Amino acid sequence: MSDDASEIQAVSKGPSNKQTVDPVKSFLSGGFGGISCVLVGHPFDLTKTRLQTASPGTYTGAIDVVRKTVAKDGIKGMYRGITPPILGVTPIFAISFWGYDVGKRLVYSFTPNRTTESLSIAELAIAGGFSAIPATLVAAPAERVKVLLQVQGQGGHASYSGPVDVVRKLYAEGGMRSLFRGTVATLARDGPGSAAYFATYELLKRKLSGEPVTLSNGEKAPAPPLSVPAIMLAGGGAGIAMWGLAIPPDTIKSRLQSAPTGTYSGFMDCARKLIAADGVKALWKGFGPAMARAVPANAATFLGVELSLKMMDSLW
């Protein structure tokens, strides 16, 4: 890689070679990444959700969803329900990247006699999987609100004036339990998905940046910084890895969170009824839009993370 001004240091500076970041920086950089992700990826996400939740025959495919949505509501219709992701995804990504760093610190704490500070891909996957636990506490209700706003106006779904109206009506309907419907499904999606997400990003970073430089004293210096295109490529690859695993539980989550109260008793009941009605292939509804979204949205996510880390490193 070249070392011109377009290059970005992939790991925040610190006093050791441990692959950790200052907790405040990891939190804030994740928030920047989340905003970037939503702005780029929301139209794809809306298309995915409508395909996942619509009755059979409503749409012929992703292009049909876009065509009918734009015909009815204009381009702004593709951004229906964007407020909850902006308000929810920003802290979700902040918590996720902070949780990922906490996960890495836990790996270090459980391996005190390690011979190298460099974490293996398996260790990074464990840290990534851990990140989903704190993030789900925010993600589950935010996803519930987002899904209901995305599917309104689609055959028989209730109408809401906005996110606050959704929260108010859900709470009136069933309290916090109703607001947090789909928490298990969200964790089932994000646990393995986040493990693949962060591990793949780190793996691609290593492949793209080359080997660490050996100094004259025999120690290893960090690998050269990544260029902007390389960061975007690694981020896009991470998104593909995540959604390759996450679509089936995400489909169940969307069905569970958008269905009228009493339709399903839980995650497994939703999965069973969905497969019984439409076959196993129903679990993969929305796969095309999700994968189309994965590359640009997650390229934007990691670019936002790395740029903000570089900015913060220059400030403190």
Side-chain angles (χ1 to χ4, degrees):
M1 295 292 168
S2 63
D3 57 0
D4 59 27
S6 68
E7 291 176 330
I8 299 169
Q9 184 64 44
V11 179
S12 183
K13 63 185 179 183
S16 74
N17 289 326
K18 285 187 176 180
Q19 294 172 254
T20 55
V21 179
D22 178 275
V24 174
K25 291 180 181 179
S26 64
F27 184 85
L28 293 176
S29 66
F32 279 109
I35 293 171
S36 303
C37 179
V38 173
L39 293 177
V40 173
H42 190 77
F44 297 95
D45 188 63
L46 179 138
T47 302
K48 170 185 67 66
T49 301
R50 290 198 164 192
L51 276 175
Q52 289 174 334
T53 59
S55 302
T58 303
Y59 304 113
T60 59
I63 300 299
D64 191 42
V65 175
V66 175
R67 182 177 60 80
K68 289 179 178 176
T69 301
V70 172
K72 183 176 181 180
D73 300 320
I75 293 297
K76 68 179 183 180
M78 295 303 298
Y79 284 88
R80 184 186 291 274
I82 195 173
T83 303
I86 287 289
L87 297 178
V89 168
T90 302
I92 289 167
F93 272 68
I95 294 170
S96 179
F97 277 81
W98 169 82
Y100 177 49
D101 194 67
V102 171
K104 289 189 285 187
R105 293 176 189 274
L106 288 173
V107 171
Y108 281 123
S109 69
F110 282 108
T111 55
N113 299 318
R114 60 188 307 119
T115 58
T116 175
E117 299 285 19
S118 179
L119 295 173
S120 68
I121 297 302
E123 289 172 328
L124 291 167
I126 292 171
F130 174 84
S131 73
I133 297 174
T136 295
L137 296 176
V138 179
E143 287 277 318
R144 173 87 153 118
V145 174
K146 180 200 73 173
V147 165
L148 287 172
L149 285 174
Q150 286 180 328
V151 302
Q152 71 174 344
Q154 175 178 273
H157 289 285
S159 179
Y160 303 99
S161 61
V164 174
D165 188 43
V166 177
V167 173
R168 181 175 59 81
K169 289 179 178 176
L170 288 178
Y171 189 80
E173 174 189 273
M176 295 300 288
R177 183 183 181 88
S178 178
L179 190 59
F180 276 81
R181 185 198 293 178
T183 298
V184 172
T186 303
L187 187 58
R189 179 194 68 179
D190 292 348
S194 294
Y197 187 61
F198 287 108
T200 300
Y201 181 67
E202 183 62 33
L203 176 64
L204 291 175
K205 279 206 309 183
R206 292 179 183 181
K207 296 292 186 183
L208 293 168
S209 64
E211 296 298 323
V213 178
T214 302
L215 303 177
S216 57
N217 61 3
E219 293 184 0
K220 295 284 187 180
L226 290 178
S227 65
V228 167
I231 289 172
M232 295 178 71
L233 180 60
I240 289 173
M242 175 178 179
W243 284 102
L245 289 176
I247 281 293
D250 183 67
T251 300
I252 296 168
K253 179 197 70 66
S254 294
R255 286 290 183 108
L256 193 59
Q257 291 182 323
S258 65
T261 301
T263 304
Y264 307 111
S265 62
F267 180 81
M268 294 306 298
D269 184 52
C270 181
R272 180 178 59 80
K273 289 178 178 177
L274 178 59
I275 293 172
D278 301 324
V280 175
K281 66 179 183 181
L283 294 174
W284 296 93
K285 283 187 176 181
F287 180 78
M291 298 307 283
R293 172 184 178 273
V295 174
N298 290 287
T301 297
F302 279 101
L303 184 60
V305 168
E306 299 288 7
L307 283 172
S308 60
L309 275 176
K310 185 183 181 184
M311 179 187 69
M312 286 185 283
D313 279 347
S314 70
L315 296 175
W316 80 86

